[in-house]
Amino acid sequence: MKGHSLSEKIKERVRKDVEILKEHGIDVGLGMLMFDDNPASKQYFLATLKACNKAGIKAYEYILPANASVNEILNHIHSINRDERINGLLVLFPLPRKINPRRIVNEILPEKDIDGLGAISVGRLAADESTFQIFKKGDYDNLYSGAAAHAVSSYLPCTPFGVIRLIESYGIGIKGKHAVVIGKSLAVGKPLSLMLLAKEATVTICHRETRDLGYFTRQADIICSAAGVAGLIKGDMIKEGAVVVDIGINVFGQGKIVGDVDFESVEKKASFITPVPGGVGPVTIAMLLENTVRSARKNQLMKHPLII
Ligand code: NAD
């Protein structure tokens, strides 16, 4: 399951929507907040910047020193919240150790929380108030217009939303399947589990303290691994025909990137498998752009419902 063609399709749709908004005098803007000592997020930052340029989205960069205080960071967020040019804010992780990330993401206005990490976005996902965005199987164009465009109150986290879209783009059904998610973080594992549950899969969540991971993965129809541990999933841990989605990114010397899945042994048994790089990654960035342009459109629809 390669991510490029889905990613290009989404980005093309975004580009068109950005054009339409431009015709009405509206520029779409994405804020990106990052700390300057953070090589881990640099690559994602640069890739997002490039994708924004291509899509016609204006990027506003906030690169803060690693010793920035919480108050200083919050001031930036408050000013972004008020900034009419910025429709969404991406905070790049990890944050410096002394900063409580929840304090930061909870300060982002829910309508600008395009990575769905704030408590309101998380709560709406858990309460099934925002999951209608993943119910439109194969018809995600509806997210840009019609009732769905008006109704959206919170955005879904980009990586898990992208995983759902990637699985479906290959014609794989989720309903009734046993999905095993490895990892329970707020950015990936937990929201992905909630989305799979909303799609009526039977969901098992595994994590660092799970005993005998293979016992669970061998029962899975769909395995989604987001642990950040190279070689975690091996061929003898999956059943014949399983769908394997590798979300992990592990960077080795000379920039070599591998996922959590031992591709060689798992490929022999899986019916579908995502490569790393080139699987989930490209879709994540496309989802970020999609959420941003939808936020711009929603903002505009609320203020001038007749023009677009
Ligand atoms: P995290 O460190 O916050 O969470 C990792 C999770 O994996 C934890 O819940 C932990 O309990 C679990 N885990 C760790 N070791 C494990 C083990 N041996 N067995 C079972 N579970 C284990 O990380 P995150 O932000 O959720 O990201 C997870 C991975 O996904 C990372 O490699 C990250 O780089 C990658 N990621 C990829 C994308 C993408 O677009 N492809 C986006 C975000 C994150």
Side-chain angles (χ1 to χ4, degrees), residues 30 88-90 112-116 155-156 158 288 291-292 295:
L30 172 70
L89 173 61
L90 172 70
K112 295 195 180 188
D113 184 16
I114 37 99
D115 211 6
Y155 297 94
L156 298 172
C158 299
L288 189 74
N291 280 352
T292 305
S295 166

Side-chain angles (χ1 to χ4, degrees), residues 191-239:
L192 179 56
S193 307
L194 288 168
M195 289 182 207
L196 290 162
L197 195 60
K199 285 245 157 212
E200 298 187 310
T202 301
V203 182
T204 301
I205 307 169
C206 299
H207 48 80
R208 193 177 274 116
E209 301 302 330
T210 299
R211 289 174 202 158
D212 195 359
L213 184 62
Y215 169 80
F216 297 99
T217 55
R218 275 188 285 273
Q219 298 174 44
D221 302 308
I222 300 172
I223 299 173
C224 300
S225 185
V229 179
L232 183 66
I233 310 296
K234 300 204 163 57
D236 62 354
M237 292 169 72
I238 74 157
K239 74 175 181 189

Side-chain angles (χ1 to χ4, degrees), residues 44 93 158-160 163 181-190 205-210 213 225-229 232-233 246-251 258-260 276 279-285:
Y44 185 40
F93 287 87
C158 299
T159 300
V163 168
V181 176
I182 303 153
K184 63 175 182 69
S185 74
L186 261 181
V188 191
K190 203 179 281 184
I205 307 169
C206 299
H207 48 80
R208 193 177 274 116
E209 301 302 330
T210 299
L213 184 62
S225 185
V229 179
L232 183 66
I233 310 296
D246 191 353
I247 302 156
I249 299 176
N250 305 289
V251 185
V258 300
D260 292 351
V276 176
V280 174
V283 187
T284 292
I285 293 183

Side-chain angles (χ1 to χ4, degrees), residues 93 100-130 153-157 186-187 190-191 194:
F93 287 87
N100 177 351
R102 299 306 305 158
R103 178 86 176 92
I104 304 304
V105 293
N106 281 342
E107 214 67 32
I108 306 171
L109 273 182
E111 49 268 43
K112 295 195 180 188
D113 184 16
I114 37 99
D115 211 6
L117 292 178
I120 291 178
S121 306
V122 175
R124 284 178 178 154
L125 169 58
D128 263 345
E129 288 177 25
S130 55
S153 51
S154 286
Y155 297 94
L156 298 172
L186 261 181
K190 203 179 281 184
L194 288 168

Side-chain angles (χ1 to χ4, degrees), residues 253-266:
Q254 284 139 14
K256 186 177 187 294
I257 293 173
V258 300
D260 292 351
V261 175
D262 175 38
F263 195 89
E264 214 169 281
S265 63
V266 172

